[in-house]
Amino acid sequence: MDEALIRSLTPGVLTVLVRRGADFAAAEDAVQDALVEAVRGWPDDPPRDPKGWLVTVAWRRFLDATRADTARRRREDRVEEEPAPGPASDVDDTLQLYFLCAHPSLTPSSAVALTLRAVGGLTTRQIARAYLVPEATMAQRISRAKRTVSGVRFDRPGDVATVLRVLYLVFNEGYSGDVDLAAEAIRLTRQLAASVDHPEVAGLLALMLLHHARRAARTAPDGSLVPLAEQDRSRWDTASIAEGVRILQAALARDRLGEFQAQAAVAALHADAPTAGETDWVQIVEWYDELARLTDNPVVRLNRAVAVGEADGPRAGLAELAALDDALPRHTAVAAYLHERDGDLDTAARLYVEAAHKAPDLAERDHLTRQAARLNSRHRQGR
């Protein structure tokens, strides 16, 4: 079985059924049944037109389920006549499927799970493992999401911004279980970029590629985090960086700036620096100014404080930080870093310990604890 082929065909088959009148939940069940039949039969007897075969089998499964369900008898007039078998339409409705899975009535976690299932072609078990939850829990989440969007038709324009937020959520999950969600998010965003001409889609794809290019250098052999300034830049994926920069430049040339393009510009400036000391922090501050104008996001302002601390000195960064809510995630860690840069090692060590207690995951907690231990050791040696 060609798993890549199956996953690429699944969204198109699903959208054909929905356009013929099947509700989303029933259509998705029928497609899954057709995929089971494909697994059983294709290795011995591969079809000449795989998509047409899947559409035909899935539509028959839908008709069978509809006729057997007395609650859906009112739909029988619409589904009674089965279209003649033949080549499937070449119209790509995948974009509409993205919009459906990112419907505003869904919670972010449900939208992500439904996107991975319906567009990504992942199994419920794979998604559950990626999110480290029981398969039954994920199955319930996906079922609720399917019920929520079952009545939504493909006759209204979708919101690209919502789709992009869902894909970015997928990307930020990174790697867990047996599914590389960062790579999956890049694959899906490429697919979206091929379906819609939108500079922010290109901006998100560029951002993902530029971040993903540094992945191999982000952790040490023992699994500990390696800060950006200390990463071995020879381990960065230069091909992904070049592609990301090229995509970003083409998007920026259209003069329709959005937040993902601005974030990608920051990532590109980091990627362009041969060493951490050669980073163009002045330009990074300017891009954070653009981001703050676009989003008014306090996390953006927190990151801007770090950039100001690098461009204009740690005290300037601390002054920017003082204007922000100290309850922001990682606020304490940023304060510790800037105090260390300013030479106040006692305060920095204390803040690193405090930040470690607030860390969202074990890897970050361990990193911050090591930072505190390093400063305390240096302080003891200086006595």
Side-chain angles (χ1 to χ4, degrees), residues 3-314:
E3 183 177 347
L5 173 64
I6 288 287
R7 290 172 63 181
S8 68
L9 293 177
T10 298
V13 176
L14 180 55
T15 51
V16 168
L17 267 65
V18 173
R19 282 201 178 278
R20 287 182 179 178
D23 68 71
F24 184 89
E28 210 271 341
D29 288 342
V31 171
Q32 294 301 317
D33 287 343
L35 292 176
V36 171
E37 290 298 316
V39 170
R40 291 173 179 167
W42 284 14
D44 297 326
D45 185 21
R48 287 192 298 270
D49 178 11
K51 182 178 178 181
W53 188 98
L54 286 171
V55 168
T56 299
V57 174
W59 185 248
R60 286 173 179 166
R61 293 293 181 274
F62 168 71
L63 291 178
D64 290 343
T66 300
R67 294 184 181 116
D69 189 347
T70 56
R72 297 177 183 174
R73 285 180 181 173
R74 288 176 296 179
R75 302 183 188 179
E76 287 187 351
D77 289 341
R78 184 175 62 204
V79 300
E80 185 62 36
E81 293 187 7
E82 178 184 344
S89 170
D90 290 332
V91 176
D92 187 359
D93 290 324
T94 302
L95 179 59
Q96 296 294 341
L97 196 58
Y98 274 99
F99 292 141
L100 189 64
C101 294
H103 194 268
S105 62
L106 295 173
T107 64
S109 61
S110 294
V112 167
L114 194 58
T115 298
L116 290 173
R117 173 65 181 260
V119 185
L122 301 183
T123 66
T124 302
R125 177 174 297 179
Q126 287 175 315
I127 302 170
R129 287 179 177 174
Y131 282 89
L132 305 179
V133 299
E135 184 176 351
T137 300
M138 185 56 67
Q140 291 175 352
R141 185 180 301 174
I142 293 173
S143 294
R144 285 195 298 268
K146 289 195 293 184
R147 287 196 299 271
T148 299
V149 301
S150 285
V152 178
R153 308 303 302 169
F154 280 169
D155 56 1
R156 289 177 291 178
D159 181 8
V160 172
T162 302
V163 175
L164 295 182
R165 284 195 293 272
V166 170
L167 290 173
Y168 198 36
L169 285 172
V170 176
F171 179 79
N172 285 328
E173 289 296 328
Y175 176 83
S176 57
D178 60 353
V179 178
D180 187 336
L181 290 179
E184 182 65 16
I186 292 173
R187 184 183 75 83
L188 294 176
T189 306
R190 284 189 191 279
Q191 189 179 46
L192 180 61
S195 302
V196 61
D197 182 22
H198 194 293
E200 272 294 81
V201 177
L204 178 58
L205 179 57
L207 177 62
M208 289 179 175
L209 289 168
L210 289 164
H211 279 321
H212 203 54
R214 303 199 299 262
R215 175 171 173 170
R218 282 201 186 101
T219 55
D222 62 0
S224 60
L225 294 179
V226 180
L228 176 60
E230 300 173 19
Q231 289 176 13
D232 178 358
R233 298 184 179 219
S234 68
R235 300 184 66 197
W236 290 1
D237 183 347
T238 54
S240 291
I241 290 173
E243 182 185 6
V245 169
R246 176 179 56 77
I247 292 171
L248 173 62
Q249 289 174 337
L252 291 175
R254 300 177 65 176
D255 199 24
R256 290 170 55 195
L257 184 64
E259 62 176 295
F260 288 118
Q261 294 169 73
Q263 287 187 59
V266 172
L269 286 167
H270 283 298
D272 188 53
T275 66
E278 296 173 86
T279 304
D280 190 342
W281 287 105
V282 173
Q283 273 205 70
I284 289 176
V285 171
E286 292 173 356
W287 278 111
Y288 275 127
D289 288 339
E290 291 288 346
L291 261 174
R293 179 182 62 81
L294 289 166
T295 68
D296 195 28
N297 186 324
V299 175
V300 169
R301 297 187 182 279
L302 183 67
N303 291 332
R304 181 183 180 279
V306 176
V308 168
E310 299 289 354
D312 300 328

Side-chain angles (χ1 to χ4, degrees), residues 292-358:
R293 179 182 62 81
L294 289 166
T295 68
D296 195 28
N297 186 324
V299 175
V300 169
R301 297 187 182 279
L302 183 67
N303 291 332
R304 181 183 180 279
V306 176
V308 168
E310 299 289 354
D312 300 328
R315 294 195 178 183
L318 286 167
E320 295 287 336
L321 191 64
L324 302 177
D325 185 353
D326 60 9
L328 279 172
R330 298 186 172 87
H331 183 285
T332 307
V334 170
Y337 173 73
L338 291 173
H339 276 290
E340 180 183 356
R341 288 276 324 279
D342 195 38
D344 186 354
L345 303 189
D346 287 342
T347 300
R350 175 178 57 78
L351 289 172
Y352 276 130
V353 171
E354 184 180 335
H357 288 300
K358 300 176 181 178

